[in-house]
Amino acid sequence: AAFDILDLADDGYRFNYAGNWLVEPNLARLIANLSSLLELRAGFVNLSNNPAMEWCNALANYTPNLQVLSLPFCHLHGPISASLSRLSSLVLIDLRKNHLDGPIPQFFANFSFLEVLQLSRNHHEGWVSPKIFERKKLRTVDLSNNIEISGILPNFSADSRLKNLLLGNTNFSGTIPSSISNLQHLKKLALGGRGFSGEIPSSMGQLTSLKLLEVSGFGLVGPVPAWVTNLTSLLALQFSNCGLSGPIPSFIGNLPKLRKLALFRSNFLGEIPQHISNLTHLNMLLLYSNNLVGTVQLTPFWKLPKLFDLNLSNNLLKWYQKT
């Protein structure tokens, strides 16, 4: 078997698999005699034959001291049962890329040792309690790509240890609190909820360790904020599916490490700034579905030797053709 997972410095990935999936039809039988088990890491094991209630109950009954639950890409389905609330020693929960549905359990917010919660790319729905972001030991919360979950952001405490807060492609709403600047350990911040509104707080410019910044929200207003230039460690910058407007500012060219620049499905207008050619590490340039104008020549893009994904479609652009 061969695996290839490519992380593009955001909450998405490209996944290729060659070979046969490992199959264990009964999780209860697998762990029945492992009462002292502290870590269960069984990614890419096909557990589709385990009904939701049964796999949750098996974990709660047979592994009461479990600290690491890592079952990504396992074809798990159904809601997460309340029986998992008994696993209060969990430090890491990784159930990414399954077929889980139902609400994200509120009892996760009561796990005092929890550091990592990864539930992305499932089919969860319903309201997510803001308390889930307030656990003092949390370092990663990834709820991205659950399009039916909703919620609001809390006021963040200065003693938060969050490094990764990923809510891309969800239905989170409300304003982004200025207390976001308290998350000084943040490396990845993806606020890709369709319902975010108001102005993006300038305090976000204090998060100088960010490598990924993604913001969406049809109710957001204003231009691309100038404080973006403070974030010189950025590898990926995305403002998409949002109400931001105005020209693409030339100061974007002052972010030397950018590998991904995505400003799409918004209200950006004017010409594509020539300063983008300064971004010599750029892999992806996505400017589609805006109101950009002008004549596009390929010459500036030849200065971007690492560019492999260029999308300027759905604009008012004209392409220069040499006659």
Side-chain angles (χ1 to χ4, degrees), residues 173-251:
S173 62
T175 57
I176 301 171
S178 60
S179 60
I180 196 84
S181 61
N182 286 332
L183 305 181
Q184 286 296 309
H185 300 284
L186 271 186
K187 301 294 184 184
K188 294 183 179 182
L189 177 60
L191 302 181
R194 298 179 183 87
F196 284 122
S197 60
E199 294 186 358
I200 302 174
S202 59
S203 60
M204 196 179 287
Q206 300 174 31
L207 301 176
T208 54
S209 295
L210 278 181
K211 296 183 181 297
L212 161 73
L213 176 59
E214 173 192 333
V215 182
S216 299
F218 292 114
L220 293 175
V221 296
V224 174
W227 50 255
V228 165
T229 55
N230 297 340
L231 311 181
T232 54
S233 296
L234 277 181
L235 301 179
L237 175 63
Q238 179 169 323
F239 293 115
S240 61
N241 297 300
C242 66
L244 295 188
S245 59
I248 298 175
S250 59
F251 59 67

Side-chain angles (χ1 to χ4, degrees), residues 5 26 72 88 122 139 156 175 254:
I5 298 178
N26 192 299
S88 57
N122 280 290
R139 287 171 170 77
F156 293 101
T175 57
N254 297 330

Side-chain angles (χ1 to χ4, degrees), residues 86-256:
R86 286 185 269 156
L87 300 180
S88 57
S89 297
L90 281 171
V91 175
L92 181 148
I93 300 172
D94 183 358
L95 299 174
R96 288 172 293 166
K97 196 60 173 68
N98 282 291
H99 306 291
L100 300 173
D101 56 29
I104 293 174
Q106 291 194 26
F107 60 75
F108 285 161
N110 299 325
F111 287 1
S112 57
F113 300 104
L114 191 62
E115 296 182 8
V116 176
L117 177 61
Q118 294 177 303
L119 299 174
S120 64
R121 297 182 184 273
N122 280 290
H123 307 291
H124 290 297
E125 58 191 11
W127 181 261
V128 179
S129 171
K131 292 182 179 179
I132 212 163
F133 305 106
E134 298 174 355
R135 300 304 315 179
K136 294 296 187 289
K137 293 188 177 182
L138 269 177
R139 287 171 170 77
T140 292
V141 179
D142 184 0
L143 309 181
S144 60
N145 293 288
N146 286 285
I147 61 175
E148 297 298 328
I149 63 172
S150 58
I152 59 174
L153 297 177
N155 284 316
F156 293 101
S157 170
D159 58 1
S160 173
R161 300 183 184 181
L162 271 175
K163 290 186 176 180
N164 304 293
L165 176 55
L166 305 175
L167 302 174
N169 200 22
T170 65
N171 203 30
F172 269 68
S173 62
T175 57
I176 301 171
S178 60
S179 60
I180 196 84
S181 61
N182 286 332
L183 305 181
Q184 286 296 309
H185 300 284
L186 271 186
K187 301 294 184 184
K188 294 183 179 182
L189 177 60
L191 302 181
R194 298 179 183 87
F196 284 122
S197 60
E199 294 186 358
I200 302 174
S202 59
S203 60
M204 196 179 287
Q206 300 174 31
L207 301 176
T208 54
S209 295
L210 278 181
K211 296 183 181 297
L212 161 73
L213 176 59
E214 173 192 333
V215 182
S216 299
F218 292 114
L220 293 175
V221 296
V224 174
W227 50 255
V228 165
T229 55
N230 297 340
L231 311 181
T232 54
S233 296
L234 277 181
L235 301 179
L237 175 63
Q238 179 169 323
F239 293 115
S240 61
N241 297 300
C242 66
L244 295 188
S245 59
I248 298 175
S250 59
F251 59 67
I252 290 291
N254 297 330
L255 297 171

Side-chain angles (χ1 to χ4, degrees), residues 12-68:
Y13 49 79
R14 296 181 179 183
F15 168 67
N16 297 304
Y17 170 72
N20 296 318
W21 285 87
L22 301 175
V23 178
E24 171 51 56
N26 192 299
L27 181 62
R29 186 168 67 236
L30 177 69
I31 63 176
N33 297 314
L34 301 176
S35 59
S36 299
L37 189 69
L38 297 180
E39 298 191 12
L40 175 60
R41 300 179 186 269
F44 301 94
V45 175
N46 188 345
L47 299 175
S48 58
N49 291 333
N50 292 260
M53 193 69 72
E54 291 185 13
W55 70 264
C56 291
N57 289 344
L59 291 168
N61 292 333
Y62 296 126
T63 61
N65 302 309
L66 199 66
Q67 296 178 6
V68 173

